[in-house]
Amino acid sequence: MTGSGRTTARSRVIRSSSEPDADALRERRPKFNRQRGRSKYGSTIPLFNNVNIKFVLAISFFAFFIILFLIRHLVNSVVEPRLPRSITPLPAPKIMDLPQFQGEHKESLYWGTYRPHLYLGIRARTPQSLVAGLMWIGVKDGRYHLRHVCRQEDDLSTYGWKKHNGRDYGHQVLHDHGIILTTEFLKSKGEDSGYGGDWAVRIDVQVDKSKWNEEFGKGAQLFFYLADEGGNVLDVSRENLNIHEDSLLASGSRTDIGDWELHLKSTDDLKLHYSGFHTPHFHNLSDLVEENLASQIRKHAQLQLSDSSDDSSNVLVFQIIGGFPFTTDIVLISGTDLESSRVEERVNSLTGASLSNELKYKEQAFDEKIEKIFNLAEKVDSESISVGKAAIGSLLGGIGYFYGQSKIALSRTLNFREHVDYVSYWPAELYTAVPSRSFFPRGFLWDEGFHQLLIWRWDIRISLDIIGHWLDLMNIDGWIPREQILGTEALSRVPDEFVPQHPTNGNPPTLFLALSDIITGLKNNEFTAKDRSEISMFLESAFVRLEAWFQWFNTTQSGKQTSSYYWHGRDNKTMRELNPKSLSSGLDDYPRASHPSTDERHLDLRCWMLLAADCMHSIEKLLDKETRPGKDYGFTAKLLSDHELLNQMHFDEAYGAYFDFGNHTEKVQLKWKEMETGQQYAPRQLVRDVSERPVLRLVPHIGYVSLFPFMGRIIPSGSWILEKQLELISNNSLLWTDYGLRSLGKTSSMYMKRNTEHDPPYWRGPIWINMNYRILSALHHYSKENGPYQDKAKAIYTELRSNLIRNIVRNYQQTGFFWEQYDQIKGKGKGARPFTGWTSLVVLIMAEEYGTI
């Protein structure tokens, strides 16, 4: 609309000064008599025909407000569109707003190695952070490669945090085809520091001459960078960098930490080059470096950065060139704008001999804390202790901070080949451990409960912080997305078809494992008075979210029969899967009923619900909360722990085992078939072939799911069924191996079978440490319970524990990694590496720490 048009429109409302006033109009307006009609006899004709005028006025008055309401509703619906429930936050106070997570606690965790997907990455716990990272040039198969992001295909012979306290110290070793890098991280907070304090990184470079070809040089090239996600400009100290003249590399300013400076110090003869970039993208910084190096090689035949910067650079990369061996210290000093900043003194305290002494002190404190908490010296040998330290160090060093929006599927399609429309969750932050820095460098809900079994024992405040962040991701229905793919760095690592999260699908509520453990610790007076107070405040605040989470499971995942549950999300139309996966269960391809239906009863979910109900009941009692109608957690726990009812629904006397129930046939296989496409050559595909009509029955696959009632300690210690479970566990023809318990019995028709042409067996045989830990926990429990099978439980426990520790330690020593799973034939590590999520539970196995699970 033009400007004159707007004026015309306004003139309809605003009267000009030349217009006659309202009184004049009224004077000139014809006078209409209310009794307009008269009969020829002079009598009046009533306008309302005996209708009550007050009644009509009341109706008019009411209609006016109805119209006003509708107009207002219409306007508001345009201004504030109603959000789908799946992306509407739970209307409850955020746990992370509690005072215990503010102030000193929040500042103490501000900086950290919170970019676990990188070989070395540092950031602050804020959405738009100043971030730092390390790259270097490695050699593989006779070619140069730029290392930056943790990738299995880089084939590093080992990397990972040998020691890390989760707060202000870490020690990591990386072996890359002859180059040995040691990176150490240290934080320092003094009176003169800006918010979050200062930090230092020491990088030591050595060479293994037996693996290094000197044709590729006699030194190493490192690239250390700073990038500002907020777009703030970074300034290079000068064009010609010379650390022997001045240690200052760069400077800048931010609202959170004030002015800052980056310094580099070394006693070795190092050459420095730099390049500055302006970019809004931070997930592909290595591409910028590679392009700059390639340009310099073409122009000058030299492998060095351009010593130039884009205008308003928000990324600075510094190339550090040195002959083997060399060491360099890099320091970020915050708050340099303060009057008493003492920059030079602080730089000196975080470099050279002062840094060496502080690192040595932190390492000793780490070793002492490990022994104080886990008492490993009395339980295992020195080699196992060393591996145990690496396990907890890698788990804590893998804690990350992420910010972004999850993508939530709008449709219920389960076919990954079809396009899925999605909406975005609200912008959210997540502070969490990750299962694997190379393969799964992001938050996974069911993994996190297992992570916290270790972390809460190490640092209860970090653990509550992580759990709180997860619970704050809950939507109005009580649902939490099971996989957190937040930010462009995370999105760049995940295939598009797996990004959208389905709000109908759950994930095992394993956070209740850690919470149950913590509550037991409260009952046993394992915490200081301050810790007890903070845990209680946390539980008080978290209760409404835990309750919503429980109710979501109890309503959306419930089955047709009382006290039955089933995992939603299985594909009942697939023609390519041998057995439709239950990704929401966490056990992926573990065999369920051959034909998914609403008649299913999943044994593992029933046991998870017992754990959740029991934990909620414990929290209620701890906080002196009254039981409310429809939310009697004690009753639910009693119902789900009813052994006779469990047996009626899930026990098969012929097998002596517990099973799922559903629409099932064993007559299913994958067959190659020619697919009709209308083309000359019909492609062959491996498709599902069913040769028998399924019936409702127990699903006869002995494996981890069968042992969930045993893990949950539901079976009475004097029951003959307990003896049957011990026999299943110790049977070499079923689950027992010299390296741990198989995920699926050898007698199963699905044992080690591929699920599709491209999906090898995952939970159909290999050994998983999280489930073995839970089974060990139950064995330990029954070995302490008086009963006829106590001695048998103890013997199996002792041997299984020894097998697990020995195999994990042996693999770590031979390969340099913790693994996602272990082969059931030879015990060799398989799957993702390093996998320092729940495989780190080996520390609790060594310490014989099992809690109440």
Side-chain angles (χ1 to χ4, degrees), residues 732-773:
N732 285 293
S733 299
L734 288 173
L735 303 176
W736 186 269
T737 79
D738 292 337
Y739 317 106
L741 298 181
R742 294 181 181 91
S743 45
L744 188 63
K746 291 169 68 175
T747 57
S748 170
S749 59
M750 296 285 175
Y751 177 70
M752 292 307 292
K753 293 283 184 67
R754 301 183 72 87
N755 201 47
T756 70
E757 179 182 353
H758 305 291
D759 291 337
Y762 199 46
W763 289 85
R764 296 182 180 178
I767 297 161
W768 294 81
I769 303 308
N770 62 332
M771 292 293 104
N772 272 267
Y773 173 77

Side-chain angles (χ1 to χ4, degrees), residues 599-616:
D599 291 304
E600 284 189 270
R601 302 199 294 259
H602 289 147
L603 176 62
D604 53 334
L605 181 51
R606 189 182 194 277
C607 293
W608 285 123
M609 292 305 294
L610 168 58
L611 168 73
D614 191 59
C615 183
M616 291 299 293

Side-chain angles (χ1 to χ4, degrees), residues 219-429:
Q221 300 197 44
L222 311 179
F223 301 84
F224 191 87
Y225 67 84
L226 279 182
D228 195 309
E229 293 176 328
N232 296 299
V233 176
L234 312 183
D235 296 317
V236 180
S237 61
R238 59 191 184 286
E239 290 187 6
N240 298 313
L241 298 174
N242 187 330
I243 61 170
H244 298 295
E245 294 178 1
D246 189 350
S247 66
L248 180 64
L249 294 181
S251 60
S253 182
R254 288 179 54 88
T255 56
D256 54 351
I257 63 173
D259 291 353
W260 57 265
E261 293 180 1
L262 186 73
H263 292 257
L264 184 149
K265 283 199 168 188
S266 177
T267 57
D268 295 305
D269 185 20
L270 304 179
K271 293 181 180 179
L272 268 66
H273 298 280
Y274 75 94
S275 188
F277 306 95
H278 178 79
T279 177
H281 307 295
F282 301 93
H283 64 280
N284 59 346
L285 295 180
S286 53
D287 293 343
L288 297 178
V289 174
E290 287 179 343
E291 290 167 6
N292 190 278
L293 290 172
S295 175
Q296 290 300 104
I297 291 173
R298 289 193 299 269
K299 292 178 181 178
H300 309 291
Q302 290 183 321
L303 189 65
Q304 65 181 49
L305 294 176
S306 60
D307 290 321
S308 63
S309 292
D310 296 341
D311 292 338
S312 303
S313 295
N314 60 337
V315 178
L316 288 178
V317 184
F318 298 95
Q319 183 180 16
I320 306 164
I321 305 172
F324 296 122
F326 70 86
T327 302
T328 181
D329 297 336
I330 301 172
V331 186
L332 183 106
I333 302 295
S334 62
T336 58
D337 51 330
L338 300 175
E339 289 185 9
S340 58
S341 58
R342 300 183 303 110
V343 173
E344 184 176 356
E345 183 180 337
R346 287 157 62 190
V347 170
N348 290 336
S349 70
L350 289 172
T351 57
S354 296
L355 178 59
S356 298
N357 292 335
E358 191 64 25
L359 289 170
K360 193 174 295 182
Y361 169 78
K362 291 290 184 181
E363 180 180 21
Q364 183 179 349
F366 175 85
D367 292 341
E368 290 174 354
K369 186 171 182 178
I370 283 271
E371 186 55 34
K372 180 181 179 182
I373 294 173
F374 300 110
N375 196 27
L376 297 182
E378 293 184 4
K379 306 276 188 177
V380 292
D381 58 31
S382 58
E383 289 183 346
S384 298
I385 292 175
S386 178
V387 173
K389 290 177 181 178
I392 191 168
S394 294
L395 177 64
L396 293 166
I399 292 174
Y401 174 89
F402 308 91
Y403 184 84
Q405 293 176 268
S406 292
K407 294 183 177 180
I408 310 302
L410 285 175
S411 66
R412 296 194 178 191
T413 178
L414 301 173
N415 189 335
F416 291 133
R417 290 171 295 281
E418 295 179 8
H419 174 73
V420 176
D421 291 326
Y422 64 86
V423 289
S424 294
Y425 225 44
W426 60 88
E429 59 182 355

Side-chain angles (χ1 to χ4, degrees), residues 467-482:
I467 296 172
H469 270 90
W470 273 101
L471 294 178
D472 278 347
L473 294 173
M474 187 175 294
N475 75 4
I476 193 171
D477 293 322
W479 174 75
I480 303 173
R482 70 182 185 91

Side-chain angles (χ1 to χ4, degrees), residues 407 416 442 482-483 485 494-502 581 583 759:
K407 294 183 177 180
F416 291 133
R442 52 194 177 275
R482 70 182 185 91
E483 185 175 349
I485 308 167
V494 183
D496 291 343
E497 62 266 30
F498 295 110
V499 171
Q501 303 294 296
H502 292 261
K581 292 190 293 292
L583 293 173
D759 291 337

Side-chain angles (χ1 to χ4, degrees), residues 10-41:
R10 285 172 60 87
S11 69
R12 296 171 185 167
V13 178
I14 301 176
R15 185 182 65 250
S16 71
S17 58
S18 61
E19 288 180 326
D21 59 30
D23 292 336
L25 283 173
R26 278 196 295 271
E27 288 175 5
R28 283 179 292 196
R29 191 177 296 138
K31 293 183 179 179
F32 295 101
N33 194 322
R34 293 180 66 89
Q35 300 169 343
R36 346 186 332 200
R38 289 181 179 268
S39 70
K40 60 182 178 179
Y41 303 105

